[in-house]
Amino acid sequence: MAIVKYTSKDVALMARMMRAEAVGEGKQGMLYVGNVIVNRAKGDCLDFQNLRSIRDVIFQVQGGNYSFEAVQKGNLFYQRARAAEKKLARKNLNFWRQHPAKYALWYFNPYAPCPPTWYGEPLAGRFKNHCYYEPAAGTCPSVY
């Protein structure tokens, strides 16, 4: 059963984002980015309230910028979704979750060691270049 409702267009959009954000980190890295996308759609808390679809999550604007850098400056994001990434996106949407992104709402590449917190949120772990952060205990129960 799916974690969030989705259409074939959502699968393609999410697949494009997963590739654009983490193609250099392989399938596992792309799945972790997919976890974050699904968690934001599911969460309805903190910075991610009232996001009702995968499209809402991917095109969310915060502080005048898109939440995902690839929307603004990622030419990979604007290429057609490939079958391999669509398969990964469906896997996420149909409940694949794994540490360190299992409950993560944020990730970034610090080009250095991961800080223990990011905007006050605790580090869940690192995979290759990305550090993953989950909400502090009790602040977003719908993600868990």
Side-chain angles (χ1 to χ4, degrees):
M1 184 166 117
I3 296 175
V4 295
K5 291 169 81 175
Y6 67 91
T7 66
S8 61
K9 286 184 179 182
D10 293 326
V11 170
L13 182 63
M14 187 166 150
R16 290 172 30 215
M17 181 57 68
M18 291 164 67
R19 181 177 68 202
E21 290 282 322
V23 69
E25 297 186 357
K27 290 178 182 178
Q28 194 75 15
M30 288 188 279
L31 282 167
Y32 290 148
V33 167
N35 273 169
V36 171
I37 293 167
V38 170
N39 288 344
R40 288 180 181 187
K42 184 179 178 245
D44 201 25
C45 59
L46 304 169
D47 297 334
F48 311 105
Q49 293 180 3
N50 301 314
L51 301 176
R52 301 291 178 245
S53 69
I54 297 302
R55 183 172 186 76
D56 288 349
V57 170
I58 289 176
F59 291 108
Q60 181 187 25
V61 174
Q62 294 178 310
N65 294 307
Y66 288 104
S67 294
F68 292 99
E69 191 174 322
V71 176
Q72 284 178 201
K73 44 182 153 168
N75 63 2
L76 272 180
F77 176 68
Y78 290 98
Q79 294 177 10
R80 182 177 295 251
R82 299 182 301 195
E85 285 90 17
K86 285 181 186 179
K87 183 178 179 181
L88 295 175
R90 277 197 257 350
K91 190 171 184 173
N92 279 123
L93 289 161
N94 290 319
F95 206 72
W96 185 92
R97 296 171 89 186
Q98 192 172 48
H99 179 78
K102 186 173 186 177
Y103 305 117
L105 290 173
W106 305 272
Y107 65 89
F108 82 109
N109 180 347
Y111 301 99
C114 296
T117 61
W118 194 53
Y119 293 102
E121 306 300 340
L123 174 69
R126 181 181 198 130
F127 181 76
K128 295 190 178 181
N129 293 323
H130 285 112
C131 303
Y132 291 87
Y133 295 83
E134 54 189 46
T139 60
C140 193
S142 55
V143 169
Y144 293 96

